[in-house]
Amino acid sequence: MKSILIIGLGDFGHYLCRDLADLKNDIMAVDQDETALEDLLDIVSDSLIADCTRENVLKKIGVSDFDICFVCISGNFQSSLEITSLLKDLGAKYVVSMVRSEVHAKFLLRNGADEVIHPNRGAAMRAAVKYNNDHIFDYIDLKDGYSIYEITPLKEWESKSILSSDIRARYGMYIVGIIRPDGQTSFMPDPQTVIREGDHLMVLAHQQVVDKLMRKLR
């Protein structure tokens, strides 16, 4: 479970809030519009009606106490930029900002955002899964509970081949790709390929399998 601040509860902020709540995270939601918060009060730990472009508001919230701060302001890039910058100035650990264009992305990344997200329903779910766990780096939803995850390998798999680590039989997951630390990617790797320290594995697996695996990685 992570402590998460979400600023801005438009469509994307709502989806993100609900998806992160479903993953059992501790969430504080903030918006200037009281009605934007009404249907989220039963799933968030705390909420606030406030203008986060005001530095004293963010100081009161205590942004440095959160593991991740999301800025999901839609329709007002200036406010998004100001809030992103203020969050970082006030010691926010990790800031993820919503963007509408690549130009906006460049400005936000230069002014405090650690990462940016282009908003849509799928992006909200991917962000929720990714930021919920430090060992999941990306996620593609398929169907019937199955997805492709980019994950950290277990220590016991390192320096072993895919075949000798017996991942498919023991964990019910298929390795469909390996991303090396230098960015080189191998899709559908040979069973004799050795898993190295620092690799990311792209695995096809059911959510229950990945949830069990993530508990071993914590």
Side-chain angles (χ1 to χ4, degrees):
M1 184 177 75
K2 292 187 176 183
S3 177
I4 295 172
L5 173 65
I6 300 178
I7 299 172
L9 280 305
D11 288 344
F12 182 79
H14 262 78
Y15 289 136
L16 184 63
C17 187
R18 291 193 174 278
D19 289 336
L20 284 167
D22 287 344
L23 293 168
K24 311 302 182 186
N25 290 286
D26 185 19
I27 302 168
M28 180 174 186
V30 185
D31 198 285
Q32 292 188 74
D33 183 1
E34 182 178 2
T35 60
L37 296 165
E38 287 177 352
D39 65 331
L40 299 173
L41 296 179
D42 59 334
I43 64 169
V44 299
S45 303
D46 199 2
S47 62
L48 181 66
I49 304 165
D51 179 4
C52 287
T53 59
R54 296 166 58 188
E55 185 174 353
N56 64 313
V57 170
L58 294 179
K59 284 182 177 179
K60 180 181 177 181
I61 291 172
V63 298
S64 62
D65 295 331
F66 294 90
D67 295 313
I68 305 174
C69 297
F70 288 95
V71 182
C72 302
I73 305 295
S74 59
N76 191 331
F77 176 66
Q78 183 64 32
S79 292
S80 181
L81 188 63
E82 289 177 13
I83 294 169
T84 297
S85 182
L86 282 171
L87 284 170
K88 214 60 182 177
D89 289 345
L90 293 172
K93 296 183 181 76
Y94 202 85
V95 180
V96 182
S97 299
M98 187 183 79
V99 298
R100 295 286 181 181
S101 72
E102 292 303 322
V103 173
H104 287 178
K106 290 178 182 178
F107 277 103
L108 287 164
L109 290 167
R110 289 172 184 169
N111 287 273
D114 294 289
E115 201 164 341
V116 295
I117 300 175
H118 292 269
N120 58 55
R121 178 66 188 96
M125 187 61 214
R126 287 181 68 187
V129 172
K130 175 180 177 179
Y131 295 110
N132 179 64
N133 193 295
D134 293 333
H135 300 285
I136 296 178
F137 302 94
D138 207 349
Y139 159 90
I140 301 172
D141 186 33
L142 299 177
K143 60 184 299 185
D144 299 329
Y146 285 89
S147 301
I148 295 175
Y149 298 83
E150 180 185 337
I151 65 169
T152 302
L154 292 177
K155 285 293 182 184
E156 65 191 59
W157 300 345
E158 294 176 2
S159 301
K160 293 182 180 179
S161 69
I162 295 172
L163 182 62
S164 63
S165 61
D166 207 19
I167 294 170
R168 177 178 172 181
R170 292 182 60 192
Y171 293 92
M173 62 172 58
Y174 298 81
I175 297 179
V176 297
I178 297 180
I179 303 173
R180 300 299 190 185
D182 62 2
Q184 182 181 353
T185 303
S186 172
F187 292 102
M188 303 304 294
D190 185 276
Q192 298 301 329
T193 301
V194 174
I195 300 168
R196 305 172 189 165
E197 182 180 359
D199 284 348
H200 288 182
L201 304 182
M202 297 173 64
V203 299
L204 171 62
H206 194 276
Q207 180 184 341
Q208 292 177 351
V209 171
V210 173
D211 288 345
K212 182 179 179 181
L213 184 64
M214 291 302 106
R215 287 194 288 272
K216 296 188 69 172
L217 282 165
R218 286 171 183 165

